[in-house]
Amino acid sequence: MTQQLIGEIVAGLMFVGVIGTLLLGFPVAFSLAGTALLFGLVGTAFGVFDPSNFGSVITRYLGTMTNEVLISVPLFIFMGVMLERTGIAERLLLTMGKLFGNLRGGLGISVVVVGALLAASTGVVGATVVTMGLISLPAMLRSGYDPKVASGVICASGTLAQIIPPSTVLIFMGDMLSGINAQVQMEKGNFAPEPVSVGALFAGAFIPGLLLVVLYIGWIVFKAITDPKAVPATPVPEAEKQGLGREVLVSLVPPLALIVAVLGSILGGIATPTESASVGSVGAMLLAALSGRFNFKVLRETVIATATMTSMIFVILFGAAVFSVVFRMMGGDNLVHEFLTNMPGGALGATIIVMAVMFLLGFILDTFEIIFIVIPITAPILLALGVDPIWLGVAVGMNLQTSFLTPPFGFSLFYLRGVAPRQVTTGMIYKGVIPFVGLQLAAIAILFFWPDLATWLPRLIY
């Protein structure tokens, strides 16, 4: 047995081992780094891994810490957490509920619209799901909505923050794909490749994000036609209709202004993601002040929540960096390369396999864990096969939305379970999200057939 084969076998066992460790419930970052260190020792014993390779982890992580693009991550998180405390979501939900209430499925449509607006102005899934769960779910249940439909609409609408810019996942994806694409193009002899920027990825995700919104609303309309008892109308009293136009305007202007300031500046090439995130953070504090909810206590809670979430993401990134170094140095990337390039269908077949693996990993892993593990291993191969990096980033982002909805570890399910009344069982929430997982998979299929949905706008702008 050759050294190369031994290394590939140990690398394959390491991948299986880390999945098993995670299933046992150990913390993700420590599972990734600990499993990698353990199998690194095994590889050293077999002579297929050199421990000095761990030195590259330090260099890589210091590079990540000093990356200006990634500074936008804590800033966007800060913006989202601060906006959660301004009451924007509450006003939007109540106003949209009145606007669409006379229609069958109107409350459900209003939740989707608000979810899209909050996604474009906050980018934080947990805050969106919890807020809508606290406000919309009781109202939908009082109106006679099927608890499964209501739960599914709220969980799925919250995940729109995963794909509609500004999305922290897309920021990391853009940064990773930029480096990988440059490396792949240089290996092909192209020493002046077109850069893959976070702004281009934001532009690429814009239309697919709207596609998901349309699919969600289409499903609610379908339910209103085929099963009207599941999504009844909620007539608004005449007294509450007075001044509804002004109420809609007042509720919509703040988030729309923030969306234009943040996304408009990025897509228009006026500011970098980091600069626009800074503007968004200041704008979120101004909105909090205008709503009368800005004080030192709110600022302190927001900063602590931002630091906690940011630390969690970067600790996972560190664990994934250790895992990636050991996996690659033992020949794991060669194993994956041979596997994907031998797939029938060429680039299409390889991409479908990677997407299927990511979808299945979404049942047991978080979004960040999946991209930090899978993207460095598979993206170089897919890009070398000719897959467009912008299209790949958008397709992966849409795929990983499902990880928030698929049991047993779908975080949106946990968020809603934490605020849902007792009559809404966990089983109802699980059943309610199934159609929306199907819609997300359908959106990915549409993206496969019409890749221009993700590549047209970036080409137009950049």
Side-chain angles (χ1 to χ4, degrees):
M1 189 179 292
T2 64
Q3 291 293 96
Q4 181 181 350
L5 182 58
I6 293 173
E8 291 177 357
I9 291 173
V10 175
L13 290 174
M14 183 176 74
F15 189 84
V16 175
V18 78
I19 299 299
T21 306
L22 291 168
L23 286 174
L24 291 174
F26 288 98
V28 176
F30 303 127
S31 297
L32 290 170
T35 305
L37 289 172
L38 178 62
F39 277 87
L41 292 175
V42 173
T44 303
F46 281 102
V48 295
F49 181 75
D50 185 353
S52 64
N53 290 318
F54 283 123
S56 64
V57 174
I58 298 171
T59 305
R60 181 185 301 187
Y61 207 63
L62 285 173
T64 300
M65 292 169 64
T66 55
N67 189 325
E68 289 187 10
V69 173
L70 297 185
I71 295 174
S72 62
V73 172
L75 290 172
F76 276 127
I77 293 174
F78 177 90
M79 182 179 77
V81 176
M82 179 61 72
L83 284 175
E84 182 191 356
R85 289 159 169 77
T86 63
I88 283 180
E90 296 175 31
R91 290 196 300 272
L92 269 175
L93 283 166
L94 294 173
T95 304
M96 291 298 171
K98 294 177 185 177
L99 191 64
F100 294 105
N102 290 325
L103 302 172
R104 284 204 303 266
L107 274 180
I109 293 172
S110 69
V111 168
V112 174
V113 172
V114 171
L117 289 171
L118 291 179
S121 55
T122 68
V124 180
V125 173
T128 305
V129 173
V130 169
T131 302
M132 293 196 296
L134 286 169
I135 301 167
S136 294
L137 186 56
M140 296 169 89
L141 295 176
R142 283 196 303 269
S143 301
Y145 268 65
D146 184 327
K148 297 189 292 295
V149 175
S151 301
V153 170
I154 291 172
C155 287
S157 300
T159 66
L160 289 170
Q162 182 81 354
I163 189 66
I164 295 179
S167 161
T168 51
V169 170
L170 292 180
I171 294 170
F172 278 104
M173 198 102 65
D175 183 67
M176 295 168 75
L177 289 173
S178 177
I180 292 171
N181 185 61
Q183 180 183 348
V184 169
Q185 294 301 320
M186 288 179 69
E187 289 174 357
K188 288 184 174 183
N190 179 10
F191 295 100
E194 289 188 17
V196 180
S197 66
V198 173
L201 202 55
F202 277 6
F206 191 74
I207 295 176
L210 293 180
L211 171 64
L212 277 173
V213 173
V214 171
L215 289 176
Y216 291 172
I217 293 175
W219 172 254
I220 296 169
V221 172
F222 173 78
K223 290 293 290 184
I225 295 170
T226 60
D227 187 11
K229 290 183 179 180
V231 287
T234 312
V236 181
E238 286 298 325
E240 293 187 18
K241 288 183 180 180
Q242 301 297 323
L244 184 57
R246 179 180 176 279
E247 198 174 332
V248 170
L249 189 64
V250 171
S251 300
L252 279 175
V253 167
L256 286 177
L258 200 63
I259 291 168
V260 170
V262 174
L263 282 187
S265 60
I266 296 174
L267 299 181
I270 300 170
T272 65
T274 303
E275 292 165 346
S276 64
S278 304
V279 173
S281 297
V282 174
M285 287 189 286
L286 288 174
L287 291 180
L290 291 173
S291 66
R293 301 192 183 189
F294 186 76
N295 53 50
F296 181 75
K297 180 183 177 184
V298 168
L299 181 61
R300 180 175 178 275
E301 291 173 351
T302 303
V303 169
I304 291 173
T306 301
T308 302
M309 284 190 265
T310 305
S311 300
M312 178 196 72
I313 293 170
F314 279 89
V315 168
I316 293 172
L317 177 58
F318 177 70
V322 179
F323 178 88
S324 178
V325 165
V326 177
F327 186 84
R328 293 172 70 92
M329 292 302 175
M330 288 197 297
D333 53 345
N334 294 327
L335 180 66
V336 175
H337 184 273
E338 291 172 10
F339 175 74
L340 291 178
T341 52
N342 290 327
M343 281 289 107
L348 178 61
T351 306
I352 290 173
I353 290 296
V354 171
M355 288 293 175
V357 169
M358 286 187 170
F359 174 73
L360 293 175
L361 287 176
F363 283 82
I364 56 175
L365 297 179
D366 177 43
T367 299
F368 287 105
E369 299 149 21
I370 296 172
I371 64 170
F372 292 154
I373 296 172
V374 179
I375 292 296
I377 296 172
T378 60
I381 302 156
L382 296 178
L383 297 186
L385 290 172
V387 176
D388 186 278
I390 298 295
W391 181 91
L392 180 62
V394 174
V396 169
M398 293 182 74
N399 190 352
L400 294 182
Q401 267 190 276
T402 60
S403 69
F404 280 91
L405 299 178
T406 47
F409 298 125
F411 281 92
S412 284
L413 310 178
F414 293 155
Y415 294 141
L416 186 61
R417 175 67 278 166
V419 298
R422 289 184 178 180
Q423 69 261 34
V424 179
T425 65
T426 302
M428 289 176 178
I429 296 175
Y430 283 2
K431 290 177 183 177
V433 299
I434 291 174
F436 292 93
V437 172
L439 291 173
Q440 290 176 348
L441 294 177
I444 296 171
I446 293 171
L447 201 60
F448 266 88
F449 283 106
W450 290 285
D452 281 350
L453 289 174
T455 58
W456 172 77
L457 191 57
R459 283 200 306 265
L460 182 68
I461 296 175
Y462 296 97

